[in-house]
Amino acid sequence: MMVDTHCHLLKEDYDNLDDIIMKMKDNIIIASGYDSKSNLEVIDLVNKYPNIYGTIGFHPSELDDFSSDSLNILEEQLKNPKIVGIGEIGLDYHYDDTDKDRQHDAFIKQILLANKLKCPIVVHSRDAALDTYEILEKYLDTKAIMHCYSYSLEMSKKFINLGMYLGIGGVLTFKNSSKIKEVVLNTDLSHLVLETDSPYLTPEPFRGMKNEPYNVYYVAKEIASIKGIDIEKVFDETFKNAKNIFNI
Ligand code: NI
């Protein structure tokens, strides 16, 4: 069985949502929110489809409507048994106008909520490896995934030492992705999970088209080829990891 541990399935991005979800009917999808509106869409999806679970939270670049109220709302929404974690949350320094203090504040508050509820977090981190690591090292006390892992092998060891898992997505299949290939080659399967980050980051051979959860198959295939192992082993181990993280 395959688990897409991170994707965004918003109505505005797909006119064939039912079809792409049906394609995964024997597999599991974990849909992720990133702000108030998308969190509500995730809740609708998990209530409608048996094979979809969800994570909800406030992405570092989507903090306009994040307030102290948001934490109470998240806590209430997390009572839904199919909402299985907080994410995506984290730090993103990609844009020049980044308000780092605000990002740190929202990230830490959401980690503390996850610690309290004993639910996992899904971390987004872009151009912010060291600050992300320092905050996690100081505050993380629950299970966690570094979603769409894209930093160095050396950093990956530090995140894994915190007990974290690495989310591996379509970038792995790109020709110029030697850094992440090196991470996968040198990291035991017991620390990896599969994801697509749909509708973005479509793997080869479909790069350039809209991504969808079924494409985790191509990520698994690439991991199997890099490690020289059977694809079934990749499915089994990453499924076990996802089950353990999200308690599904
Ligand atoms: Ni995402």
Side-chain angles (χ1 to χ4, degrees):
M1 190 185 276
M2 306 191 292
V3 186
D4 181 358
T5 60
H6 183 93
C7 61
H8 308 281
L9 299 178
L10 301 178
K11 284 183 221 120
E12 66 189 44
D13 291 323
Y14 295 97
D15 44 25
N16 58 343
L17 254 189
D18 273 321
D19 297 340
I20 65 168
I21 291 166
M22 274 311 285
K23 238 166 121 178
M24 283 288 278
K25 68 177 181 343
D26 299 325
N27 300 291
I28 291 173
I29 296 171
I30 301 185
S32 181
Y34 50 82
D35 63 5
S36 305
K37 184 172 164 282
S38 60
N39 290 339
L40 288 175
E41 278 204 48
V42 167
I43 292 166
D44 283 346
L45 281 172
V46 305
N47 289 337
K48 187 169 174 196
Y49 297 98
N51 63 328
I52 302 190
Y53 296 82
T55 65
I56 53 174
F58 290 81
H59 185 287
S61 307
E62 307 286 343
L63 294 175
D64 285 350
D65 57 352
F66 180 81
S67 66
S68 51
D69 257 8
S70 310
L71 292 167
N72 295 329
I73 295 168
L74 282 181
E75 183 164 358
E76 200 53 40
Q77 290 170 330
L78 278 150
K79 288 181 180 157
N80 182 324
K82 290 191 76 193
I83 298 297
V84 291
I86 298 182
E88 55 185 292
I89 61 175
L91 303 178
D92 192 324
Y93 296 172
H94 187 67
Y95 302 101
D96 291 338
D97 61 348
T98 299
D99 182 343
K100 291 188 181 175
D101 288 343
R102 190 161 163 70
Q103 289 197 9
H104 288 208
D105 176 64
F107 187 28
I108 292 167
K109 281 177 176 154
Q110 292 179 96
I111 295 172
L112 294 176
L113 177 62
N115 291 344
K116 177 177 129 184
L117 301 177
K118 297 189 182 0
C119 73
I121 59 170
V122 177
V123 178
H124 168 100
S125 178
R126 180 158 62 155
D127 301 340
L130 285 176
D131 284 4
T132 304
Y133 176 75
E134 277 172 16
I135 287 177
L136 289 166
E137 187 192 29
K138 188 158 174 205
Y139 295 100
L140 183 68
D141 188 23
T142 190
K143 290 170 180 161
I145 297 174
M146 283 299 289
H147 130 68
C148 194
Y149 186 76
S150 56
Y151 295 134
S152 67
L153 175 61
E154 190 193 347
M155 276 311 298
S156 74
K157 290 179 181 162
K158 297 183 75 167
F159 288 114
I160 287 171
N161 272 335
L162 297 180
M164 298 182 74
Y165 293 78
L166 310 181
I168 306 296
V171 174
L172 182 69
T173 67
F174 299 171
K175 276 202 178 64
N176 58 355
S177 66
S178 53
K179 197 167 70 175
I180 181 68
K181 285 190 170 86
E182 188 194 8
V183 171
V184 166
L185 181 64
N186 292 287
T187 304
D188 195 85
L189 272 182
S190 60
H191 304 298
L192 304 182
V193 290
L194 307 175
E195 65 166 70
T196 60
D197 207 15
S198 298
Y200 316 108
L201 301 173
T202 311
E204 296 289 2
F206 301 116
R207 194 172 179 185
M209 292 165 68
K210 190 172 286 183
N211 206 357
E212 59 172 277
Y214 189 82
N215 288 339
V216 279
Y217 174 84
Y218 298 95
V219 178
K221 198 173 155 203
E222 186 66 27
I223 293 177
S225 135
I226 289 169
K227 289 185 164 299
I229 56 175
D230 204 87
I231 194 170
E232 289 300 327
K233 183 158 171 67
V234 178
F235 292 148
D236 288 351
E237 291 282 317
T238 53
F239 173 71
K240 221 192 300 172
N241 297 340
K243 215 169 135 98
N244 172 39
I245 297 163
F246 293 108
N247 212 0
I248 47 178

